[in-house]
């Protein structure tokens, strides 16, 4: 079904890296939600009134909120596809995250309303009157919600959308909640158990848990989470595949939406090579990465002296010392200034965030070991760095 609808309503549906194609997928999923939730709300609300069931009416209001959420998602995808402008030079794709957050907050607010109505029903001790049609409508609703969940999960995976993932989770929790409602209504019908209000509380708490979980998931990209490791690795592998690249460090990546990545990296090149040749290499790398991976890449060129054997010896020594302390550590930006009475070495030591070692103790340990078996005193200037992204 998903593939058929994609073929019918999304032009060039396989090219999901294209922002226009991605937006079309989002609009398709939102439109599907708008239509299906409108149908479910009308059916449930009507039969909830007939059965005098607060839990069925509450479930219908849930579908009404889903209708509103799908509308918000549709608007969000349309707004996020707007090109960059003067006020928003990085584009508008983060609006999609905002719509996902709005959907999550609405779900929690709805849970509070369901909880209130359910407690009121318990206090009043008013019984619901179910019919066979009530059970049929609830069964159809469960099927609809499972289809919605499958559809949104599928599309969210295809286009990597947190907003659609939130909607899919909402649909799945709705199907579970409606299943509980169907069970309680059957028990009430066959055994005369007045548990409508109590089941409403269970549903409300279940919906609240899902909503809070989605708030955490959808707010994380807005705060600024790390770019996916596989994406970083793919780009770094591309950079190091060019002849003339000796190494890379100080990688920084910023996500401004599902398809909007800005990245900077320091690329080491041989200092003996003509600067114009190295500059041309850097330009080619930036252009190729932008074209192949749709990433706005900026490269800082770091000339490295690879012809001086003493510099190379000291660099190897420093690297071995750092690795002996921890295999997770690494060095970069290694420079040496030779003087008549001493040698200055300057370099960065990269330490993982989770490593809580005292930086001063670490630096002093490296400095002591650098001077072992050396005839000339070595002054060591160390900057402790942390990896912005994991390779």
């Amino acid at each position: 079904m998903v593939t058929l609808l994609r073929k019918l309503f999304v032009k060039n549906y396989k090219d999901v890296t294209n922002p226009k194609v991605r937006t079309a997928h989002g609009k398709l999923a939102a439109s599907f939600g708008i239509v299906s939730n409108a149908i479910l709300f009308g059916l449930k609300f009507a039969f909830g009134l007939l059965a005098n069931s607060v839990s069925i009416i509450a479930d219908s209001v849930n579908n009404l909120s889903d209708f509103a959420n799908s509308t918000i998602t549709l608007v969000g995808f349309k707004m996020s596809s707007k090109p960059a402008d003067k006020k928003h030079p990085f584009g508008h794709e983060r609006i999609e995250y905002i719509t996902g957050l709005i959907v999550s907050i609405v779900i929690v607010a709805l849970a509070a309303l369901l909880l209130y109505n359910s407690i009121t029903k318990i206090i009043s001790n008013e019984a619901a009157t179910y019919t066979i049609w009530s059970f049929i409508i609830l069964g159809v609703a469960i099927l609809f919600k499972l289809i919605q969940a499958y559809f949104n999960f599928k599309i969210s995976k295809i286009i990597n959308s947190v907003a659609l993932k939130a909607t899919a989770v909402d649909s799945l929790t709705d199907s579970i909640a409606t299943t509980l409602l169907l069970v309680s209504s059957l028990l009430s019908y066959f055994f005369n158990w007045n548990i409508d209000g109590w089941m409403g509380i269970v549903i409300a708490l279940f919906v609240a848990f899902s909503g809070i979980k989605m708030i955490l998931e959808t707010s994380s990209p807005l705060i600024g989470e790390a770019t996916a490791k596989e994406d970083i690795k793919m780009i770094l592998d591309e950079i190091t595949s060019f002849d003339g690249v000796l190494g890379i460090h100080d990688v920084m990546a910023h996500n401004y939406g599902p398809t909007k990545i800005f990245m900077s990296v320091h690329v080491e090149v041989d200092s003996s090579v003509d600067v114009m040749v190295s500059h041309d290499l850097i330009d080619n790398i930036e252009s190729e990465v932008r074209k192949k991976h749709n990433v706005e890449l900026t490269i800082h060129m770091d000339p490295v002296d690879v012809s001086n054997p003493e510099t190379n010896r000291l660099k190897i020594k420093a690297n071995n010392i750092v690795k002996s302390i921890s295999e997770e550590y690494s060095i970069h930006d290694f420079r040496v200034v030779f003087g008549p009475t001493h040698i200055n070495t300057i370099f960065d030591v990269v330490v993982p965030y989770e490593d809580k070692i005292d930086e001063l103790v670490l630096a002093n340990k490296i400095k002591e070991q650098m001077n072992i078996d050396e005839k000339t005193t070595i002054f060591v200037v160390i900057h402790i760095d942390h990896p912005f992204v994991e390779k």
Side-chain angles (χ1 to χ4, degrees):
M1 179 187 72
V2 176
T3 304
L4 177 61
L5 290 175
R6 290 173 67 205
K7 286 181 179 179
L8 288 174
F9 296 103
V10 180
K11 188 177 180 181
N12 300 323
Y13 70 97
K14 290 185 178 181
D15 186 16
V16 291
T17 57
N18 185 321
K20 290 183 178 179
V21 175
R22 189 179 181 282
T23 300
H25 277 86
K27 290 180 178 179
L28 172 63
S31 300
F32 182 80
I34 289 171
V35 173
S36 56
N37 283 310
I39 295 171
L40 285 175
F41 166 71
L43 291 173
K44 282 188 189 177
F45 188 75
F47 280 90
L49 288 176
L50 291 173
N52 190 31
S53 169
V54 65
S55 53
I56 293 182
I57 293 174
D59 212 33
S60 74
V61 175
N62 188 16
N63 292 133
L64 182 62
S65 75
D66 291 341
F67 170 86
N69 290 337
S70 293
T71 304
I72 292 170
T73 302
L74 180 62
V75 173
F77 269 101
K78 185 165 183 165
M79 293 179 66
S80 66
S81 64
K82 289 173 58 179
D85 54 35
K86 187 176 181 180
K87 287 187 176 180
H88 308 94
F90 300 110
H92 299 80
E93 287 192 11
R94 281 188 176 178
I95 291 176
E96 184 182 328
Y97 301 145
I98 296 174
T99 58
L101 182 60
I102 291 172
V103 170
S104 305
I105 292 172
V106 169
I107 291 170
V108 174
L110 174 66
L113 178 61
L114 295 180
L115 185 62
Y116 172 79
N117 289 336
S118 299
I119 293 173
T120 302
K121 185 68 179 286
I122 292 171
I123 294 172
S124 66
N125 198 30
E126 187 178 356
T129 53
Y130 298 103
T131 66
I132 297 299
W133 277 106
S134 301
F135 308 141
I136 294 173
I137 293 303
L138 291 176
V140 170
I142 293 168
L143 180 61
F144 260 75
K145 279 298 175 181
L146 288 174
I147 293 172
Q148 280 183 2
Y150 171 77
F151 189 87
N152 284 299
F153 267 126
K154 195 78 173 176
I155 298 295
S156 71
K157 188 174 181 181
I158 291 170
I159 66 173
N160 188 28
S161 169
V162 292
L164 290 183
K165 183 182 178 183
T167 304
V169 171
D170 183 33
S171 296
L172 185 60
T173 55
D174 285 349
S175 69
I176 297 172
T178 306
T179 300
L180 294 174
L181 179 56
L182 176 59
V183 171
S184 72
S185 63
L186 287 169
L187 291 173
S188 178
Y189 183 80
F190 289 106
F191 300 101
N192 200 30
W193 292 3
N194 187 15
I195 58 173
D196 186 52
W198 294 103
M199 190 54 65
I201 290 178
V202 173
I203 294 171
L205 294 176
F206 189 77
V207 172
F209 173 79
S210 300
I212 293 170
K213 183 180 178 182
M214 284 189 289
I215 286 175
L216 297 175
E217 289 182 0
T218 54
S219 59
S220 183
L222 284 172
I223 296 170
E225 60 185 8
T227 305
K229 288 191 289 186
E230 56 269 21
D231 293 337
I232 296 295
K233 184 179 185 305
M234 177 176 62
I235 295 167
L236 297 186
D237 287 345
E238 179 78 26
I239 294 171
T240 54
S241 69
F242 282 80
D243 290 336
V245 173
L246 302 180
I248 51 178
H249 58 267
D250 283 347
V251 182
M252 299 182 71
H254 308 267
N255 286 16
Y256 286 89
T259 66
K260 210 76 171 175
I261 299 176
F262 289 78
M263 186 173 176
S264 64
V265 60
H266 288 214
V267 172
E268 297 172 356
V269 295
D270 191 342
S271 60
S272 65
V273 175
D274 186 276
V275 67
M276 296 307 294
V277 173
S278 295
H279 188 272
D280 185 65
L281 168 66
I282 298 303
D283 282 346
N284 288 337
I285 297 173
E286 289 177 337
S287 176
E288 193 67 21
V289 169
R290 287 193 190 104
K291 184 169 61 177
K292 289 180 66 174
H293 304 289
N294 194 32
V295 172
E296 290 297 323
L297 177 65
T298 301
I299 295 178
H300 172 79
M301 183 174 67
D302 267 347
V304 178
D305 184 4
V306 296
S307 60
N308 190 317
E310 185 62 9
T311 298
N312 292 335
R313 182 187 71 81
L314 291 173
K315 183 177 181 180
I316 293 171
K317 182 176 183 178
N319 186 64
N320 289 339
I321 290 170
V322 168
K323 288 295 183 183
S324 69
I325 298 171
S326 173
E327 282 294 327
E328 298 296 317
Y329 296 177
S330 62
I331 68 170
H332 62 73
D333 271 352
F334 189 88
R335 302 182 299 281
V336 180
V337 180
F338 295 97
T341 60
H342 65 274
I343 299 171
N344 288 324
T345 61
I346 307 109
F347 56 92
D348 292 358
V349 178
V350 182
V351 177
Y353 279 106
E354 59 271 16
D355 196 315
K356 303 304 180 183
I357 190 170
D358 186 292
E359 294 185 0
L360 183 60
V361 171
L362 174 62
N364 287 334
K365 186 174 184 179
I366 295 171
K367 290 174 185 178
E368 289 175 8
Q369 294 190 38
M370 281 294 292
N371 278 284
I372 295 176
D373 297 329
E374 295 292 336
K375 296 179 180 179
T376 306
T377 301
I378 298 178
F379 292 166
V380 183
V381 179
I382 295 174
H383 173 251
I384 305 299
D385 200 0
H386 299 285
F388 190 82
V389 294
E390 293 185 51
K391 295 182 183 178

